[in-house]
Amino acid sequence: MSGNTILGLFAKSPIKPLEDHINVVSECCEGLVPFFEAVLEKDWKRAAKRRRDISNLEKEADRMKRDIRLNLHGGIFMPVERSDVLELLTHQDRIANKAKDISGRMLGRKMELPPKLAEMFMAYLARCLDATTKAKEAINELEDLLETGFKGREVDLVKKMVHELDLIEDETDLQQIKIRRKLQKLEKKIDPVDAMFLYYIIEAIGELADQALRVGARLELMIYR
Amino acid sequence: MEILATYGSTLIIIAAVFGFVMAWGIGANDVANAMGTSVGSNAITIKQAIIIAMIFEFAGAYLAGGAVTNTVRKGIIDSGAFTNTPELLVFGMIAALLAAGTWLLIASYNGWPVSTTHSIIGAIIGFAAVGVGTEAVAWGKVSGIIGSWIITPAISGVFAYFIFVSAQKLIFENENPLEAAKRYVPGYMFLAGFMMALVTIKKGLKHIGLEMSSVEGYVWAVSIGLVVAIVGKIIISRLKTDPKADRQMHYTNVEKVFAVLMVITACCMAFAHGSNDVANAIGPLAAVVSVVHNHGEISAKAELAWWILPLGGLGIVAGLAIFGHRVIATIGKGITHLTPSRGFAAELAAATTVVVASGTGLPISTTQTLVGAVLGVGMARGIAALNLGVVRSIVVSWVVTLPAGAALSIVFYYILLAIFN
């Protein structure tokens, strides 16, 4: 009886699901910390378990992404551009993919982290995860942005957050340079192929922050339309 | 003439029964639209919605429902054409009630959001066209109704847009949105109370025998608005705000303040709905009663029999209490992201439009105003997503309703003729 009443007008909003999606993505990334802790202790069984957690969260994010896409057919009128939502979603999703990829490569090759690198590496990882967390926080402002009609003080707040995200990403770049230098000094003592892969992993972790920055940039574009 | 003398009371009873059924259908169906946004935004529960609707639908019907009745009864068709055959008008009006009621039933069963106002107008046009001839229909009025499909949603949309934008400017962009909400929301309450009171006084109170000058009317309206605002302010100041719920902007608590306002707009909406839509059920009924009581004479200005308005009001309330529960319940779960502030802008705009239109005697549809209002809030970038497919289906149903009501009433008209002649 009520299938078609006025309330049928209200389509499923993409705003909240976008927030839910990045929250899962962020949780997925956070999984890298216990994963690398296990790797440092060379506890491969535990690492495999942690890697499964990451993979499950990534799958969950994928499922949510599909749901959102399916719900955004052409007949939906939204406060933001449809293409912007889809782009933002894609960028968000790539963060989770990257996290899964990193853990997969590490576990697949049972790669060991040189202990001398450990402290620096974990700090670097933590800072990159700060970036994904910041992106999550910014996306979580969407609800409030909607409330203010995408203008005013709320927009300034998001702008500030994206700026902070920018700064964090800069920092991770510097950290990456330092960590590569240190690895270079160590590389003679480790297996060359392993060293190559370690470079890859370091870069991939840096990409988490890059990707988080892209999410922030898309969010800004979305607001300013 | 003899037919009216012989079957007079039978016809009145039939008309009253069909009128009640029609009102019942209005209550059961339309109320989902009128109250749905309040329930959907979780500002009030279903039970509260039903209680509010009962009180204010009835009040609206009784206090401000008179002006529209005239339009439906005399504006659409030229009653002069029936001077020699008053029984045809009686049959026609009964057929119209039955046709509109039936159409409402079919549409509700299939989930089509039809306009009850237009179904009764379509039905009246239908029997008039076959009973007397197409010249009996005031086509100018009909084209006005078709124009209202565009104008009413537009007006209501503009109202909603500005109400929402004003709330944004005053409250959501403020340094401290919660304090701003506490300060400005009573102002909105005043507006709602004032608007409701003004229309009741200016247009409605005549029907219960109260007359007052326009200055008196304004004074009363302002004071009623103030009372509403003060009571609202007291409720807001007692509101428990949750300091943990605020992120940067305290919006969770701001929405709580708006939820109080939402109760008032829900009252307004029910009042506006009652004042406008009760006429759909009682207009034709009043015509039947007046013709029969005057022994076939179709008077220029008929007195509304005392029991007609309460009957319509009761019908709406009964339909609401028995069926409305189900309709609203399904709605409460279906929506995503309709917060009290967004729902409030839509509802206050819709209620204002309906009440103002009710005052001018234009038979507009609550459905139309709500659609317009919801679109307006959407345009202000307040509602997260609107399903334009549903907008299309609603507009189609507006167009279909007139011919559907007409066709049904023609069928019933011939059946009635066959029975009584």
PDB file of all heavy atoms in Angstrom, chain A residues 2 4 7 9 11 13 16 75 77 79 140 144 146-148 150 153-154, chain B residues 111 113 174-175 247 249 251 255 330-331 337 341 381 384 386-388 391:
ATOM      1  N   SER A   2       1.991   1.177   0.668  1.00  0.00           N
ATOM      2  CA  SER A   2       2.758   2.407   0.788  1.00  0.00           C
ATOM      3  C   SER A   2       3.976   2.390  -0.112  1.00  0.00           C
ATOM      4  O   SER A   2       4.814   3.256  -0.051  1.00  0.00           O
ATOM      5  CB  SER A   2       3.197   2.595   2.228  1.00  0.00           C
ATOM      6  OG  SER A   2       4.006   1.496   2.574  1.00  0.00           O
ATOM      7  N   ASN A   4       4.508   3.180  -2.940  1.00  0.00           N
ATOM      8  CA  ASN A   4       4.683   4.268  -3.887  1.00  0.00           C
ATOM      9  C   ASN A   4       4.262   5.618  -3.336  1.00  0.00           C
ATOM     10  O   ASN A   4       4.007   6.536  -4.097  1.00  0.00           O
ATOM     11  CB  ASN A   4       3.866   3.961  -5.132  1.00  0.00           C
ATOM     12  CG  ASN A   4       4.772   3.845  -6.332  1.00  0.00           C
ATOM     13  OD1 ASN A   4       5.858   4.403  -6.331  1.00  0.00           O
ATOM     14  ND2 ASN A   4       4.332   3.142  -7.332  1.00  0.00           N
ATOM     15  N   LEU A   7       6.845   8.891   0.413  1.00  0.00           N
ATOM     16  CA  LEU A   7       8.112   8.503   1.001  1.00  0.00           C
ATOM     17  C   LEU A   7       8.948   7.665   0.066  1.00  0.00           C
ATOM     18  O   LEU A   7      10.144   7.524   0.252  1.00  0.00           O
ATOM     19  CB  LEU A   7       7.858   7.813   2.321  1.00  0.00           C
ATOM     20  CG  LEU A   7       7.243   8.810   3.280  1.00  0.00           C
ATOM     21  CD1 LEU A   7       7.128   8.224   4.649  1.00  0.00           C
ATOM     22  CD2 LEU A   7       8.033  10.090   3.364  1.00  0.00           C
ATOM     23  N   LEU A   9       9.705   8.689  -2.565  1.00  0.00           N
ATOM     24  CA  LEU A   9      10.536   9.743  -3.146  1.00  0.00           C
ATOM     25  C   LEU A   9      11.959   9.691  -2.634  1.00  0.00           C
ATOM     26  O   LEU A   9      12.900  10.011  -3.343  1.00  0.00           O
ATOM     27  CB  LEU A   9       9.988  11.111  -2.749  1.00  0.00           C
ATOM     28  CG  LEU A   9       8.964  11.785  -3.619  1.00  0.00           C
ATOM     29  CD1 LEU A   9       8.545  13.071  -2.964  1.00  0.00           C
ATOM     30  CD2 LEU A   9       9.545  12.069  -4.975  1.00  0.00           C
ATOM     31  N   ALA A  11      15.117   8.331  -2.059  1.00  0.00           N
ATOM     32  CA  ALA A  11      15.918   7.214  -2.522  1.00  0.00           C
ATOM     33  C   ALA A  11      16.959   6.871  -1.472  1.00  0.00           C
ATOM     34  O   ALA A  11      17.204   7.652  -0.558  1.00  0.00           O
ATOM     35  CB  ALA A  11      16.598   7.590  -3.823  1.00  0.00           C
ATOM     36  N   SER A  13      20.119   6.949   0.173  1.00  0.00           N
ATOM     37  CA  SER A  13      21.163   7.963   0.076  1.00  0.00           C
ATOM     38  C   SER A  13      22.545   7.322  -0.010  1.00  0.00           C
ATOM     39  O   SER A  13      22.819   6.338   0.662  1.00  0.00           O
ATOM     40  CB  SER A  13      21.093   8.849   1.314  1.00  0.00           C
ATOM     41  OG  SER A  13      22.370   9.359   1.596  1.00  0.00           O
ATOM     42  N   LYS A  16      25.568   8.116   3.669  1.00  0.00           N
ATOM     43  CA  LYS A  16      25.910   7.263   4.806  1.00  0.00           C
ATOM     44  C   LYS A  16      26.696   6.029   4.354  1.00  0.00           C
ATOM     45  O   LYS A  16      27.711   5.692   4.962  1.00  0.00           O
ATOM     46  CB  LYS A  16      24.621   6.875   5.545  1.00  0.00           C
ATOM     47  CG  LYS A  16      24.852   6.190   6.852  1.00  0.00           C
ATOM     48  CD  LYS A  16      25.326   7.164   7.915  1.00  0.00           C
ATOM     49  CE  LYS A  16      25.729   6.370   9.148  1.00  0.00           C
ATOM     50  NZ  LYS A  16      26.721   7.085   9.954  1.00  0.00           N
ATOM     51  N   GLY A  75      18.105   7.639 -12.226  1.00  0.00           N
ATOM     52  CA  GLY A  75      16.922   8.387 -11.790  1.00  0.00           C
ATOM     53  C   GLY A  75      17.032   8.962 -10.397  1.00  0.00           C
ATOM     54  O   GLY A  75      16.045   9.386  -9.819  1.00  0.00           O
ATOM     55  N   PHE A  77      18.255  11.757  -7.809  1.00  0.00           N
ATOM     56  CA  PHE A  77      18.694  13.138  -7.707  1.00  0.00           C
ATOM     57  C   PHE A  77      19.442  13.299  -6.392  1.00  0.00           C
ATOM     58  O   PHE A  77      18.898  12.993  -5.336  1.00  0.00           O
ATOM     59  CB  PHE A  77      17.466  14.056  -7.756  1.00  0.00           C
ATOM     60  CG  PHE A  77      17.760  15.484  -7.432  1.00  0.00           C
ATOM     61  CD1 PHE A  77      18.247  16.335  -8.398  1.00  0.00           C
ATOM     62  CD2 PHE A  77      17.532  15.976  -6.156  1.00  0.00           C
ATOM     63  CE1 PHE A  77      18.509  17.652  -8.096  1.00  0.00           C
ATOM     64  CE2 PHE A  77      17.797  17.286  -5.848  1.00  0.00           C
ATOM     65  CZ  PHE A  77      18.288  18.131  -6.823  1.00  0.00           C
ATOM     66  N   PRO A  79      22.451  15.593  -3.884  1.00  0.00           N
ATOM     67  CA  PRO A  79      23.070  16.902  -3.675  1.00  0.00           C
ATOM     68  C   PRO A  79      24.464  16.978  -4.277  1.00  0.00           C
ATOM     69  O   PRO A  79      25.023  18.052  -4.398  1.00  0.00           O
ATOM     70  CB  PRO A  79      23.114  17.052  -2.163  1.00  0.00           C
ATOM     71  CG  PRO A  79      23.036  15.682  -1.636  1.00  0.00           C
ATOM     72  CD  PRO A  79      22.255  14.879  -2.624  1.00  0.00           C
ATOM     73  N   ASN A 140      33.777  11.195   6.948  1.00  0.00           N
ATOM     74  CA  ASN A 140      32.725  11.135   7.957  1.00  0.00           C
ATOM     75  C   ASN A 140      32.049  12.481   8.221  1.00  0.00           C
ATOM     76  O   ASN A 140      31.055  12.560   8.914  1.00  0.00           O
ATOM     77  CB  ASN A 140      33.255  10.536   9.255  1.00  0.00           C
ATOM     78  CG  ASN A 140      33.173   9.028   9.234  1.00  0.00           C
ATOM     79  OD1 ASN A 140      32.104   8.452   9.326  1.00  0.00           O
ATOM     80  ND2 ASN A 140      34.310   8.372   9.066  1.00  0.00           N
ATOM     81  N   ASP A 144      27.407  15.834   7.971  1.00  0.00           N
ATOM     82  CA  ASP A 144      27.255  17.211   8.440  1.00  0.00           C
ATOM     83  C   ASP A 144      27.308  18.200   7.288  1.00  0.00           C
ATOM     84  O   ASP A 144      26.634  19.227   7.311  1.00  0.00           O
ATOM     85  CB  ASP A 144      28.345  17.550   9.464  1.00  0.00           C
ATOM     86  CG  ASP A 144      28.059  16.890  10.807  1.00  0.00           C
ATOM     87  OD1 ASP A 144      26.966  16.298  10.931  1.00  0.00           O
ATOM     88  OD2 ASP A 144      28.899  16.956  11.701  1.00  0.00           O
ATOM     89  N   LEU A 146      26.127  17.662   4.411  1.00  0.00           N
ATOM     90  CA  LEU A 146      24.783  17.591   3.844  1.00  0.00           C
ATOM     91  C   LEU A 146      23.850  18.500   4.631  1.00  0.00           C
ATOM     92  O   LEU A 146      23.027  19.218   4.071  1.00  0.00           O
ATOM     93  CB  LEU A 146      24.294  16.148   3.896  1.00  0.00           C
ATOM     94  CG  LEU A 146      22.872  15.904   3.432  1.00  0.00           C
ATOM     95  CD1 LEU A 146      22.776  16.141   1.942  1.00  0.00           C
ATOM     96  CD2 LEU A 146      22.442  14.485   3.757  1.00  0.00           C
ATOM     97  N   GLU A 147      24.009  18.441   5.945  1.00  0.00           N
ATOM     98  CA  GLU A 147      23.151  19.243   6.821  1.00  0.00           C
ATOM     99  C   GLU A 147      23.275  20.736   6.521  1.00  0.00           C
ATOM    100  O   GLU A 147      22.306  21.474   6.573  1.00  0.00           O
ATOM    101  CB  GLU A 147      23.558  18.959   8.271  1.00  0.00           C
ATOM    102  CG  GLU A 147      22.515  19.272   9.301  1.00  0.00           C
ATOM    103  CD  GLU A 147      21.439  18.216   9.310  1.00  0.00           C
ATOM    104  OE1 GLU A 147      21.668  17.102   9.812  1.00  0.00           O
ATOM    105  OE2 GLU A 147      20.353  18.526   8.804  1.00  0.00           O
ATOM    106  N   THR A 148      24.498  21.167   6.206  1.00  0.00           N
ATOM    107  CA  THR A 148      24.698  22.595   5.950  1.00  0.00           C
ATOM    108  C   THR A 148      24.541  22.923   4.466  1.00  0.00           C
ATOM    109  O   THR A 148      24.808  24.052   4.060  1.00  0.00           O
ATOM    110  CB  THR A 148      26.100  23.040   6.381  1.00  0.00           C
ATOM    111  OG1 THR A 148      27.043  22.204   5.712  1.00  0.00           O
ATOM    112  CG2 THR A 148      26.292  22.940   7.862  1.00  0.00           C
ATOM    113  N   PHE A 150      26.317  21.849   2.060  1.00  0.00           N
ATOM    114  CA  PHE A 150      27.647  21.922   1.458  1.00  0.00           C
ATOM    115  C   PHE A 150      28.178  23.348   1.383  1.00  0.00           C
ATOM    116  O   PHE A 150      28.695  23.772   0.357  1.00  0.00           O
ATOM    117  CB  PHE A 150      27.647  21.275   0.064  1.00  0.00           C
ATOM    118  CG  PHE A 150      27.375  19.806   0.122  1.00  0.00           C
ATOM    119  CD1 PHE A 150      26.081  19.332   0.095  1.00  0.00           C
ATOM    120  CD2 PHE A 150      28.415  18.903   0.237  1.00  0.00           C
ATOM    121  CE1 PHE A 150      25.825  17.974   0.180  1.00  0.00           C
ATOM    122  CE2 PHE A 150      28.160  17.542   0.314  1.00  0.00           C
ATOM    123  CZ  PHE A 150      26.861  17.092   0.282  1.00  0.00           C
ATOM    124  N   ARG A 153      30.725  26.993   7.436  1.00  0.00           N
ATOM    125  CA  ARG A 153      31.819  26.580   8.311  1.00  0.00           C
ATOM    126  C   ARG A 153      32.215  25.138   8.152  1.00  0.00           C
ATOM    127  O   ARG A 153      33.368  24.774   8.285  1.00  0.00           O
ATOM    128  CB  ARG A 153      31.419  26.844   9.755  1.00  0.00           C
ATOM    129  CG  ARG A 153      31.402  28.317  10.074  1.00  0.00           C
ATOM    130  CD  ARG A 153      30.902  28.653  11.471  1.00  0.00           C
ATOM    131  NE  ARG A 153      30.550  27.513  12.296  1.00  0.00           N
ATOM    132  CZ  ARG A 153      31.317  27.059  13.266  1.00  0.00           C
ATOM    133  NH1 ARG A 153      32.444  27.639  13.533  1.00  0.00           N
ATOM    134  NH2 ARG A 153      30.922  26.036  13.991  1.00  0.00           N
ATOM    135  N   GLU A 154      31.224  24.321   7.886  1.00  0.00           N
ATOM    136  CA  GLU A 154      31.488  22.896   7.747  1.00  0.00           C
ATOM    137  C   GLU A 154      32.468  22.641   6.601  1.00  0.00           C
ATOM    138  O   GLU A 154      33.345  21.789   6.683  1.00  0.00           O
ATOM    139  CB  GLU A 154      30.148  22.192   7.532  1.00  0.00           C
ATOM    140  CG  GLU A 154      30.199  20.691   7.485  1.00  0.00           C
ATOM    141  CD  GLU A 154      30.702  20.041   8.750  1.00  0.00           C
ATOM    142  OE1 GLU A 154      30.461  20.584   9.840  1.00  0.00           O
ATOM    143  OE2 GLU A 154      31.346  18.988   8.632  1.00  0.00           O
TER     144      GLU A 154
ATOM    145  N   GLY B 111      -0.814   0.719  -4.626  1.00  0.00           N
ATOM    146  CA  GLY B 111       0.273   1.571  -4.155  1.00  0.00           C
ATOM    147  C   GLY B 111       0.499   2.808  -5.008  1.00  0.00           C
ATOM    148  O   GLY B 111       1.588   3.360  -5.022  1.00  0.00           O
ATOM    149  N   PRO B 113       0.181   6.673  -5.669  1.00  0.00           N
ATOM    150  CA  PRO B 113      -0.042   7.865  -4.839  1.00  0.00           C
ATOM    151  C   PRO B 113      -0.989   8.856  -5.517  1.00  0.00           C
ATOM    152  O   PRO B 113      -0.570   9.873  -6.026  1.00  0.00           O
ATOM    153  CB  PRO B 113       1.357   8.460  -4.719  1.00  0.00           C
ATOM    154  CG  PRO B 113       2.038   8.032  -5.974  1.00  0.00           C
ATOM    155  CD  PRO B 113       1.419   6.766  -6.430  1.00  0.00           C
ATOM    156  N   ASN B 174      26.002  28.626  12.082  1.00  0.00           N
ATOM    157  CA  ASN B 174      26.340  29.439  13.247  1.00  0.00           C
ATOM    158  C   ASN B 174      27.579  28.890  13.959  1.00  0.00           C
ATOM    159  O   ASN B 174      27.912  27.724  13.830  1.00  0.00           O
ATOM    160  CB  ASN B 174      25.142  29.439  14.196  1.00  0.00           C
ATOM    161  CG  ASN B 174      25.189  30.566  15.178  1.00  0.00           C
ATOM    162  OD1 ASN B 174      26.017  30.564  16.077  1.00  0.00           O
ATOM    163  ND2 ASN B 174      24.323  31.533  15.003  1.00  0.00           N
ATOM    164  N   GLU B 175      28.237  29.786  14.727  1.00  0.00           N
ATOM    165  CA  GLU B 175      29.383  29.364  15.527  1.00  0.00           C
ATOM    166  C   GLU B 175      29.003  28.207  16.437  1.00  0.00           C
ATOM    167  O   GLU B 175      29.720  27.241  16.577  1.00  0.00           O
ATOM    168  CB  GLU B 175      29.870  30.532  16.410  1.00  0.00           C
ATOM    169  CG  GLU B 175      30.643  31.605  15.689  1.00  0.00           C
ATOM    170  CD  GLU B 175      31.994  31.112  15.221  1.00  0.00           C
ATOM    171  OE1 GLU B 175      32.630  30.341  15.955  1.00  0.00           O
ATOM    172  OE2 GLU B 175      32.396  31.514  14.111  1.00  0.00           O
ATOM    173  N   ARG B 247      30.003  15.823  17.577  1.00  0.00           N
ATOM    174  CA  ARG B 247      31.313  15.804  16.975  1.00  0.00           C
ATOM    175  C   ARG B 247      31.699  17.280  16.928  1.00  0.00           C
ATOM    176  O   ARG B 247      31.455  18.035  17.868  1.00  0.00           O
ATOM    177  CB  ARG B 247      31.217  15.192  15.575  1.00  0.00           C
ATOM    178  CG  ARG B 247      30.910  13.723  15.639  1.00  0.00           C
ATOM    179  CD  ARG B 247      31.600  12.980  14.502  1.00  0.00           C
ATOM    180  NE  ARG B 247      31.118  13.481  13.211  1.00  0.00           N
ATOM    181  CZ  ARG B 247      30.135  12.942  12.536  1.00  0.00           C
ATOM    182  NH1 ARG B 247      29.511  11.904  13.033  1.00  0.00           N
ATOM    183  NH2 ARG B 247      29.768  13.405  11.366  1.00  0.00           N
ATOM    184  N   MET B 249      30.293  19.705  15.315  1.00  0.00           N
ATOM    185  CA  MET B 249      29.247  20.694  15.110  1.00  0.00           C
ATOM    186  C   MET B 249      27.985  20.540  15.969  1.00  0.00           C
ATOM    187  O   MET B 249      27.036  21.288  15.777  1.00  0.00           O
ATOM    188  CB  MET B 249      28.829  20.677  13.640  1.00  0.00           C
ATOM    189  CG  MET B 249      29.926  21.115  12.710  1.00  0.00           C
ATOM    190  SD  MET B 249      30.440  22.799  12.998  1.00  0.00           S
ATOM    191  CE  MET B 249      31.418  23.084  11.549  1.00  0.00           C
ATOM    192  N   TYR B 251      25.549  18.609  15.712  1.00  0.00           N
ATOM    193  CA  TYR B 251      24.319  18.484  14.933  1.00  0.00           C
ATOM    194  C   TYR B 251      23.333  17.469  15.493  1.00  0.00           C
ATOM    195  O   TYR B 251      22.131  17.624  15.313  1.00  0.00           O
ATOM    196  CB  TYR B 251      24.637  18.128  13.478  1.00  0.00           C
ATOM    197  CG  TYR B 251      25.257  19.275  12.734  1.00  0.00           C
ATOM    198  CD1 TYR B 251      26.078  19.068  11.651  1.00  0.00           C
ATOM    199  CD2 TYR B 251      24.995  20.579  13.125  1.00  0.00           C
ATOM    200  CE1 TYR B 251      26.653  20.133  10.973  1.00  0.00           C
ATOM    201  CE2 TYR B 251      25.570  21.647  12.472  1.00  0.00           C
ATOM    202  CZ  TYR B 251      26.400  21.423  11.392  1.00  0.00           C
ATOM    203  OH  TYR B 251      26.959  22.463  10.740  1.00  0.00           O
ATOM    204  N   GLU B 255      19.478  18.445  15.922  1.00  0.00           N
ATOM    205  CA  GLU B 255      18.352  17.692  15.375  1.00  0.00           C
ATOM    206  C   GLU B 255      17.316  17.385  16.455  1.00  0.00           C
ATOM    207  O   GLU B 255      16.133  17.326  16.180  1.00  0.00           O
ATOM    208  CB  GLU B 255      18.832  16.397  14.711  1.00  0.00           C
ATOM    209  CG  GLU B 255      19.595  16.611  13.411  1.00  0.00           C
ATOM    210  CD  GLU B 255      18.761  17.268  12.295  1.00  0.00           C
ATOM    211  OE1 GLU B 255      17.544  17.440  12.461  1.00  0.00           O
ATOM    212  OE2 GLU B 255      19.352  17.623  11.273  1.00  0.00           O
ATOM    213  N   THR B 330       4.985   0.933   7.583  1.00  0.00           N
ATOM    214  CA  THR B 330       5.874   0.544   6.489  1.00  0.00           C
ATOM    215  C   THR B 330       6.795   1.696   6.129  1.00  0.00           C
ATOM    216  O   THR B 330       7.944   1.495   5.741  1.00  0.00           O
ATOM    217  CB  THR B 330       5.084   0.157   5.232  1.00  0.00           C
ATOM    218  OG1 THR B 330       3.722   0.447   5.450  1.00  0.00           O
ATOM    219  CG2 THR B 330       5.267  -1.291   4.903  1.00  0.00           C
ATOM    220  N   ILE B 331       6.255   2.901   6.273  1.00  0.00           N
ATOM    221  CA  ILE B 331       7.015   4.068   5.890  1.00  0.00           C
ATOM    222  C   ILE B 331       8.173   4.334   6.833  1.00  0.00           C
ATOM    223  O   ILE B 331       9.271   4.658   6.403  1.00  0.00           O
ATOM    224  CB  ILE B 331       6.082   5.277   5.847  1.00  0.00           C
ATOM    225  CG1 ILE B 331       5.326   5.223   4.543  1.00  0.00           C
ATOM    226  CG2 ILE B 331       6.852   6.566   5.947  1.00  0.00           C
ATOM    227  CD1 ILE B 331       4.052   5.923   4.604  1.00  0.00           C
ATOM    228  N   HIS B 337      17.934   8.623   5.852  1.00  0.00           N
ATOM    229  CA  HIS B 337      18.481   9.964   5.986  1.00  0.00           C
ATOM    230  C   HIS B 337      17.512  11.095   5.812  1.00  0.00           C
ATOM    231  O   HIS B 337      17.744  12.009   5.055  1.00  0.00           O
ATOM    232  CB  HIS B 337      19.674  10.149   5.088  1.00  0.00           C
ATOM    233  CG  HIS B 337      20.651   9.206   5.558  1.00  0.00           C
ATOM    234  ND1 HIS B 337      21.611   9.533   6.433  1.00  0.00           N
ATOM    235  CD2 HIS B 337      20.682   7.889   5.412  1.00  0.00           C
ATOM    236  CE1 HIS B 337      22.227   8.442   6.754  1.00  0.00           C
ATOM    237  NE2 HIS B 337      21.684   7.451   6.151  1.00  0.00           N
ATOM    238  N   SER B 341      15.347  18.193  10.746  1.00  0.00           N
ATOM    239  CA  SER B 341      15.442  19.527  10.151  1.00  0.00           C
ATOM    240  C   SER B 341      15.017  19.509   8.689  1.00  0.00           C
ATOM    241  O   SER B 341      14.391  20.437   8.200  1.00  0.00           O
ATOM    242  CB  SER B 341      16.859  20.076  10.288  1.00  0.00           C
ATOM    243  OG  SER B 341      17.758  19.326   9.515  1.00  0.00           O
ATOM    244  N   ARG B 381      19.914  21.178  -1.392  1.00  0.00           N
ATOM    245  CA  ARG B 381      20.936  20.181  -1.086  1.00  0.00           C
ATOM    246  C   ARG B 381      20.780  19.644   0.333  1.00  0.00           C
ATOM    247  O   ARG B 381      21.756  19.322   0.999  1.00  0.00           O
ATOM    248  CB  ARG B 381      22.348  20.746  -1.275  1.00  0.00           C
ATOM    249  CG  ARG B 381      22.526  21.347  -2.652  1.00  0.00           C
ATOM    250  CD  ARG B 381      23.792  20.880  -3.308  1.00  0.00           C
ATOM    251  NE  ARG B 381      24.971  21.614  -2.934  1.00  0.00           N
ATOM    252  CZ  ARG B 381      26.181  21.345  -3.443  1.00  0.00           C
ATOM    253  NH1 ARG B 381      26.322  20.399  -4.314  1.00  0.00           N
ATOM    254  NH2 ARG B 381      27.220  22.048  -3.068  1.00  0.00           N
ATOM    255  N   ALA B 384      19.490  13.779   1.036  1.00  0.00           N
ATOM    256  CA  ALA B 384      20.642  13.104   0.456  1.00  0.00           C
ATOM    257  C   ALA B 384      20.368  12.530  -0.929  1.00  0.00           C
ATOM    258  O   ALA B 384      21.231  12.551  -1.781  1.00  0.00           O
ATOM    259  CB  ALA B 384      21.119  12.011   1.394  1.00  0.00           C
ATOM    260  N   LEU B 386      16.987  11.774  -3.901  1.00  0.00           N
ATOM    261  CA  LEU B 386      15.581  11.681  -4.259  1.00  0.00           C
ATOM    262  C   LEU B 386      15.442  10.731  -5.437  1.00  0.00           C
ATOM    263  O   LEU B 386      16.279  10.716  -6.324  1.00  0.00           O
ATOM    264  CB  LEU B 386      15.043  13.059  -4.676  1.00  0.00           C
ATOM    265  CG  LEU B 386      14.863  14.084  -3.584  1.00  0.00           C
ATOM    266  CD1 LEU B 386      14.484  15.413  -4.199  1.00  0.00           C
ATOM    267  CD2 LEU B 386      13.807  13.631  -2.617  1.00  0.00           C
ATOM    268  N   ASN B 387      14.368   9.967  -5.405  1.00  0.00           N
ATOM    269  CA  ASN B 387      14.137   9.045  -6.492  1.00  0.00           C
ATOM    270  C   ASN B 387      13.241   9.705  -7.532  1.00  0.00           C
ATOM    271  O   ASN B 387      12.037   9.807  -7.358  1.00  0.00           O
ATOM    272  CB  ASN B 387      13.482   7.783  -5.944  1.00  0.00           C
ATOM    273  CG  ASN B 387      13.552   6.664  -6.931  1.00  0.00           C
ATOM    274  OD1 ASN B 387      13.757   6.897  -8.118  1.00  0.00           O
ATOM    275  ND2 ASN B 387      13.376   5.457  -6.445  1.00  0.00           N
ATOM    276  N   LEU B 388      13.856  10.157  -8.617  1.00  0.00           N
ATOM    277  CA  LEU B 388      13.077  10.881  -9.615  1.00  0.00           C
ATOM    278  C   LEU B 388      12.094   9.972 -10.342  1.00  0.00           C
ATOM    279  O   LEU B 388      11.081  10.438 -10.861  1.00  0.00           O
ATOM    280  CB  LEU B 388      14.019  11.547 -10.626  1.00  0.00           C
ATOM    281  CG  LEU B 388      14.878  12.670 -10.040  1.00  0.00           C
ATOM    282  CD1 LEU B 388      15.708  13.324 -11.130  1.00  0.00           C
ATOM    283  CD2 LEU B 388      14.010  13.726  -9.375  1.00  0.00           C
ATOM    284  N   VAL B 391       8.931  10.442  -8.594  1.00  0.00           N
ATOM    285  CA  VAL B 391       8.328  11.725  -8.947  1.00  0.00           C
ATOM    286  C   VAL B 391       7.538  11.569 -10.243  1.00  0.00           C
ATOM    287  O   VAL B 391       6.394  12.018 -10.354  1.00  0.00           O
ATOM    288  CB  VAL B 391       9.400  12.819  -9.128  1.00  0.00           C
ATOM    289  CG1 VAL B 391       8.753  14.132  -9.528  1.00  0.00           C
ATOM    290  CG2 VAL B 391      10.208  12.996  -7.863  1.00  0.00           C
TER     291      VAL B 391
END
